[in-house]
Amino acid sequence: MTQRTSTGLSGVVVADTELSLVDGAAGELVIRGLSVEQLATGSFERACHLMWFGALPSAAELGELTSRLQAARVRAARLVPELGLALSASDGMDALRASVSQLTLPSEADHVARAIELTAAVCVFASAWARRTRGLAPVPPSALGHAADYLRMVHGDDAPPSWVRALDSYLCTVIDHGMNASTFAARVVTSTESDDVSAVVAAIGALKGRLHGGAPGPVLDMLDAVGAPELAESYVDAMLARHERIMGMGHRVYRVRDPRAFVLEGALERLEASGTAQGRLSLARAVEQVAEARLLAKYPERALRANVEFFTAVLLEALGLPRELFTPTFATGRVAGWCAHVQEQRRAGKLIRPESRYVGPRPASESLSTS
Ligand code: COA
């Protein structure tokens, strides 16, 4: 029996997964047995270990994975001079898509080795693109952790520890999220027995759209346009009167506030309290409050609340990242989750091939009889 198509596959289960659980009613995100709040207290490398090996690392294992990612960043950086055209794209996600597609992974590499190469490459290529768009030379990787090295490769200087902790929290928070559109894209490609690079390239394309990972830049544009908390009401009202979507609000699965919004809001609070960065938390909160109330009045059945992108925008801005780098930074964290899904899909070994309902014309009976 064919399924209705207008639902965007909402509520359709397409895979069994051990990787993450998104409970939209309770507002809960569980990643391989840890709540997102627990995962976000550690480093990105710790979260990668959990995703790729299925267990939290010992101190020795964490050190080993950290070193392997460092070495892979060095290998990826060697490719940067050859990526001229790919990295000259004006959009960071276009640059990532084009540059990652030029990777060739060693055929003998196991799934963790492939995940390491891809995760390192996205980090290095995103930061090299950010430098290039500002007319700056790429900064070579160093012996830092992944988050610290990313900030260093973007800014050219070591970031304060509070910034590194905040970015680690962010990368862990976005590492995986159920059957989101980019993960689904990666799994569809893998299910055809294609390769990991192709799967990640497809996922990058899906993440780019503003209904998925492309929202945080526009969130910041909105905060700029609002300007001050007391102007939030008139701005949001005008947007809704023009039938525009408020970026960073609403979610396909959550019917309460996205749990990742709490984690990122907390990370921003700590960052502001450390005195090492000045974010726009109070303006963001004012806009969120007004948007939530207005959307509730407009869609009483739907509960459109802040999603991860809302606080991504203000957190990454506080870390000095340019807004055009927000979605590539999302990819820098999510690529680790895509790689875990690629492996899980490969084990499942089943082609994903849904059906469509044809609503176009059928051949006329005369042309059938003459053919
Ligand atoms: N602002 C204003 N209206 C919104 C809205 C928003 N952020 N999100 C949903 N709506 C409205 C839609 O316009 C639609 O109204 P209609 O029935 O009058 O046409 C209704 O709510 C249902 O929207 P729909 O697109 O069917 O819901 P969805 O579950 O497919 O969409 C999102 C989920 C995330 C794509 C959607 O909430 C959205 O576009 N949010 C803004 C973009 C964003 O923040 N993306 C990042 C997601 S993590």
Side-chain angles (χ1 to χ4, degrees):
M1 196 179 73
T2 49
Q3 195 103 29
R4 276 182 59 231
T5 53
S6 58
T7 56
L9 296 184
S10 173
V12 176
V13 174
V14 296
D16 288 334
T17 183
E18 295 178 348
L19 298 172
S20 60
L21 162 75
V22 181
D23 185 332
E28 194 185 2
L29 169 58
V30 176
I31 297 174
R32 295 212 98 158
L34 259 65
S35 70
V36 65
E37 293 82 4
Q38 291 168 329
L39 194 66
T41 59
S43 68
F44 179 61
E45 284 87 341
R46 171 179 173 261
C48 286
H49 195 283
L50 182 65
M51 290 303 289
W52 299 337
F53 293 95
L56 287 172
S58 65
E61 288 166 338
L62 185 60
E64 190 190 336
L65 184 57
T66 303
S67 304
R68 288 180 73 184
L69 273 162
Q70 278 164 5
R73 288 196 300 278
V74 171
R75 281 192 290 277
R78 283 197 204 112
L79 300 174
V80 166
E82 296 160 30
L83 294 173
L85 202 58
L87 286 180
S88 67
S90 60
D91 182 281
M93 293 302 277
D94 290 347
L96 265 191
R97 174 175 46 68
S99 51
V100 171
S101 71
Q102 294 186 37
L103 278 179
T104 309
L105 302 183
S107 54
E108 70 283 2
D110 66 10
H111 81 93
V112 172
R114 294 194 298 270
I116 288 172
E117 295 305 312
L118 280 158
T119 301
V122 169
C123 172
V124 169
F125 297 165
S127 53
W129 173 81
R131 306 266 316 161
R132 194 183 165 116
T133 52
R134 285 176 287 157
L136 300 169
V139 174
S142 72
L144 295 167
H146 205 70
D149 214 12
Y150 183 65
L151 289 171
R152 192 182 145 278
M153 288 189 289
V154 172
H155 293 311
D157 295 313
D158 284 348
S162 57
W163 289 32
V164 175
R165 270 196 303 280
L167 187 64
D168 264 321
S169 280
Y170 171 74
L171 296 175
C172 293
T173 299
V174 300
I175 198 167
D176 196 36
H177 198 242
M179 197 51 63
N180 60 86
S182 57
T183 296
F184 184 51
R187 290 190 75 130
V188 168
V189 171
T190 304
S191 83
T192 70
E193 297 192 358
S194 185
D195 61 292
D196 299 34
V197 172
S198 300
V200 167
V201 168
I204 290 170
L207 187 70
K208 177 185 171 188
R210 71 179 197 140
L211 298 192
H212 188 9
V219 168
L220 222 50
D221 295 340
M222 175 174 71
L223 294 184
D224 285 347
V226 171
E230 61 278 11
L231 301 175
E233 285 189 11
S234 55
Y235 190 86
V236 167
D237 287 343
M239 271 188 95
L240 291 178
R242 292 193 301 268
H243 304 288
E244 285 176 25
R245 286 183 186 228
I246 301 173
M247 292 293 114
M249 300 296 295
H251 197 271
R252 171 58 68 79
V253 183
Y254 291 118
R255 289 297 160 258
V256 292
R257 197 176 190 240
D258 186 331
R260 299 167 299 173
F262 289 100
V263 175
L264 299 185
E265 188 183 19
L268 186 55
E269 265 170 11
R270 284 190 295 280
L271 194 63
E272 287 194 358
S274 74
T276 55
Q278 200 43 55
R280 290 199 278 176
L281 193 50
S282 51
L283 175 62
R285 281 180 174 148
V287 174
E288 180 195 6
Q289 216 176 11
V290 171
E292 186 185 315
R294 295 298 198 270
L295 288 169
L296 187 64
K298 191 170 178 191
Y299 301 100
E301 309 294 312
R302 215 175 144 78
L304 297 164
R305 312 273 314 263
N307 63 48
V308 64
E309 306 290 29
F310 201 86
F311 287 96
T312 291
V314 267
L315 180 64
L316 297 187
E317 179 190 43
L319 295 178
L321 300 181
R323 68 193 68 188
E324 58 278 9
L325 191 59
F326 290 176
T327 310
T329 306
F330 190 166
T332 300
R334 181 58 60 85
V335 62
W338 292 333
C339 292
H341 278 273
V342 162
Q343 168 63 4
E344 190 175 64
Q345 182 61 43
R346 193 159 282 134
R347 277 202 312 269
K350 183 77 180 166
L351 176 70
I352 299 175
R353 203 299 189 191
E355 291 183 30
S356 51
R357 181 161 47 91
Y358 180 65
V359 294
R362 294 196 177 257
S365 49
E366 297 90 311
S367 60
L368 270 183
S369 58
T370 55
S371 64

